[in-house]
Amino acid sequence: MTQNHFLHLLWGSALLAVVYADFISNLTSHNFQVLTPGSSGYPAASAAFNRRFTFEPEAIAFPNSAQDVSTILSLCTTYNYKAIARSGGHSYIANGLGGKDGSVVVDLSNFKTVTVDSSTNIATIGTGNRLGDIALALNNHGRALPHGTCPYVGIGGHSGHGGYGFTSRKWGLTLDTISALQVVLANGTIVTTSSSSYPDLFFALRGSSSSFGIVTSIQAKTLAAPSSATVFEYHWDMSAATAASALAAFQSFVVERNLPQEFGAEIVLGAGSSQGRVAFGITGGWYAAANQFNSVIAPLLAKLPKPSSSTITPGSYINSVQVLGGLGRLNTTGVPDSTDTFYAKSLMTPESAPMSNKSMTAFMNYLANEGFGTNTNWFVEVELYGGTTVADNQISATAFGRRSSMFTIQFYTSAPGGTPPFPNAGFSLLDGMVNSIVNNNPSGWDYGAYTNYIDNRLANWQTLYYSTNYPKLRSLKDQYDPHDTFSFPLSIEE
């Protein structure tokens, strides 16, 4: 390195330091909290939910209003910093921290209001809310929304990229209930989007929200909470061959029968009692009269061995949300969130071309053998989409690109004890699970992947996540975020 080159680097570093100092000075001059490296609260605020990742944001801001968000984004644009919204912080690849060093995190935890208009039943929800708290607030009005089970997941990312839950076969995805969004664009402009106001932006924000702006408020059409809800769980320890037949029976149960949309379910798979075996479970919710449930599930159970255990829990709708949430409570206020060190993949199987028997056999053989005795803790969830209102909307209605799916399969594995480091064997374990299915279905099988189970190692993610919607999203990105302020791993490209 020449002396001139060395001096040039020093001058560049000094200039960057001055720019950063000016940026932070401007950012901290407003009436909202800002944490920077060295602040006492910064280490906790910059810790990822998935401890596989450690990133250092340039700043973490806690705005109190949409105008505060506007101020932050205007400064990011002026000083050329990348910005990212954080709602619940549960991004699988820590995109709520920017997915890399040097981003500005706009933490929405102060946006906690939930109101319901009694005349329209439209809820206005701040994007700092978590699913458990929203369920409780809506239930106070006798209302509900379709959403996932984990009480700590933030509504912002969840609704911005999908939002599947056990009521989705009847009610659709969370994003399907959205009637309007208040969003702050990269240049600081605050707009309200709907089907009649900025309709192209409204399209993009329902399926790829994080790439286009920071949503501060959601208006969603709520549904009447069912008068009865029954949670069901069945468990087996099966040979690989029996497990493959059981998965095939479940798939046929969906394909061959006019399955009521009040039935929501998933298969949960794990390591069996010995090599060559698979832990096989079916769990879900029945959102109609409890005395009708047995007649709905009976044709499926007739094709399966007698379960080793089963639990049927009838009750109120909000009780079902709490039971399926797995924590024994829905209120997240003042109770710390958990963390994990993990890797996840997903596979959305097309309803028009169900999984072949060959692929189901290969998959269960892989789980029963390669999945036994691994040094990571894993599970697989086969979530039922088939025959749902998710598919009722045209693919062009929202950015969500995989509406006509039979199943969304989530593959998930954690480091021993849930703490770092994450072993490399965990990546190959899940790659093998997915490949056992994909490689044993016909060439050109039109499978996809689910953005909320985001995978930073996924090839061809543009098509797998967004299908034919991706070219339109890329064009809209140029229009609404021309300087790529919202840039993070797997964001819509310029």
Side-chain angles (χ1 to χ4, degrees):
M1 180 185 296
T2 66
Q3 184 178 16
N4 284 341
H5 189 201
F6 178 70
L7 291 172
H8 180 74
L9 290 175
L10 280 179
W11 172 251
S13 298
L15 183 60
L16 287 174
V18 170
V19 170
Y20 176 68
D22 286 348
F23 170 68
I24 295 301
S25 177
N26 274 282
L27 190 62
T28 56
S29 67
H30 299 275
N31 191 30
F32 50 80
Q33 183 185 18
V34 178
L35 299 176
T36 58
S39 300
S40 60
Y42 181 88
S46 62
F49 167 69
N50 185 355
R51 295 301 173 91
R52 186 161 66 89
F53 298 94
T54 55
F55 298 123
E56 185 172 290
E58 296 286 16
I60 304 172
F62 297 82
N64 301 301
S65 65
Q67 184 56 56
D68 288 348
V69 176
S70 173
T71 297
I72 296 164
L73 293 183
S74 296
L75 288 170
C76 287
T77 298
T78 299
Y79 287 93
N80 195 29
Y81 281 100
K82 304 301 183 185
I84 190 73
R86 179 168 67 181
S87 177
H90 273 234
S91 168
Y92 280 13
I93 60 173
N95 273 348
L97 293 169
K100 57 184 180 295
D101 292 334
S103 296
V104 175
V105 175
V106 183
D107 188 289
L108 299 165
S109 55
N110 292 329
F111 291 70
K112 285 287 182 66
T113 58
V114 180
T115 62
V116 179
D117 185 321
S118 59
S119 62
T120 63
N121 289 317
I122 291 178
T124 301
I125 303 170
T127 45
N129 282 288
R130 298 178 186 251
L131 300 184
D133 302 301
I134 293 170
L136 288 171
L138 295 182
N139 189 67
N140 289 337
H141 299 270
R143 310 301 293 179
L145 287 174
H147 55 71
T149 58
C150 178
Y152 278 89
V153 166
I155 188 66
H158 189 66
S159 67
H161 302 90
Y164 167 84
F166 287 118
T167 57
S168 287
R169 294 193 67 251
K170 184 173 179 62
W171 292 344
L173 302 170
T174 310
L175 61 78
D176 292 326
T177 68
I178 295 174
S179 58
L181 295 163
Q182 184 184 71
V183 60
V184 187
L185 303 180
N187 63 6
T189 303
I190 303 171
V191 300
T192 298
T193 67
S194 66
S195 59
S196 59
S197 176
Y198 299 89
D200 53 353
L201 180 59
F202 190 52
F203 159 87
L205 291 172
R206 292 173 299 150
S208 58
S209 177
S210 303
S211 293
F212 290 90
I214 294 184
V215 174
T216 55
S217 179
I218 299 165
Q219 291 185 26
K221 295 171 284 188
T222 64
L223 293 306
S227 58
S228 174
T230 300
V231 177
F232 53 89
E233 294 182 77
Y234 300 90
H235 300 281
W236 296 262
D237 184 75
M238 295 179 170
S239 69
T242 303
S245 297
L247 178 56
F250 188 79
Q251 183 171 259
S252 297
F253 177 62
V254 181
V255 172
E256 296 171 3
R257 306 185 69 85
N258 185 22
L259 190 63
Q261 291 182 337
E262 290 79 8
F263 179 87
E266 66 182 14
I267 292 172
V268 181
L269 304 168
S273 59
S274 60
Q275 187 165 357
R277 303 188 70 80
V278 177
F280 191 105
I282 299 175
T283 190
W286 167 249
Y287 301 97
N291 61 7
Q292 298 173 358
F293 172 67
N294 285 339
S295 63
V296 173
I297 196 73
L300 173 61
L301 296 179
K303 295 183 179 182
L304 305 177
K306 182 180 178 180
S308 57
S309 67
S310 63
T311 305
I312 311 297
T313 309
S316 66
Y317 169 76
I318 198 63
N319 183 65
S320 75
V321 178
Q322 180 171 301
V323 171
L324 291 167
L327 299 180
R329 57 180 168 79
L330 293 173
N331 180 12
T332 70
T333 304
V335 184
D337 197 358
S338 61
T339 62
D340 196 4
T341 303
F342 67 95
Y343 175 58
K345 299 182 76 69
S346 66
L347 183 65
M348 300 186 79
T349 71
E351 193 164 15
S352 60
M355 289 185 289
S356 67
N357 287 331
K358 181 181 178 183
S359 70
M360 290 185 281
T361 297
F363 177 48
M364 291 301 179
N365 280 329
Y366 185 92
L367 296 186
N369 292 289
E370 284 81 353
F372 185 81
T374 61
N375 66 342
T376 60
N377 303 307
W378 61 269
F379 66 83
V380 176
E381 293 175 336
V382 184
E383 301 166 347
L384 174 58
Y385 276 53
T388 78
T389 56
V390 175
D392 289 349
N393 286 310
Q394 296 294 318
I395 190 173
S396 59
T398 70
F400 188 83
R402 293 290 172 178
R403 291 196 167 274
S404 299
S405 295
M406 172 70 71
F407 301 121
T408 290
I409 308 175
Q410 177 178 201
F411 312 83
Y412 187 110
T413 190
S414 300
T419 58
F422 183 83
N424 286 332
F427 298 118
S428 56
L429 174 68
L430 295 201
D431 289 345
M433 290 182 186
V434 173
N435 291 339
S436 70
I437 297 174
V438 173
N439 295 344
N440 287 286
N441 277 291
S443 176
W445 192 50
D446 186 27
Y447 66 93
Y450 182 38
T451 321
N452 274 344
Y453 301 152
I454 193 165
D455 172 8
N456 63 321
R457 298 173 63 250
L458 185 64
N460 193 28
W461 59 267
Q462 297 90 336
T463 299
L464 293 177
Y465 287 146
Y466 298 108
S467 186
T468 54
N469 284 332
Y470 192 76
K472 179 178 179 179
L473 290 170
R474 191 163 184 175
S475 174
L476 291 173
K477 179 72 169 178
D478 291 339
Q479 179 180 347
Y480 286 103
D481 186 18
H483 301 295
D484 203 22
T485 297
F486 305 113
S487 174
F488 49 88
L490 281 64
S491 60
I492 303 300
E493 301 154 315
E494 284 187 293

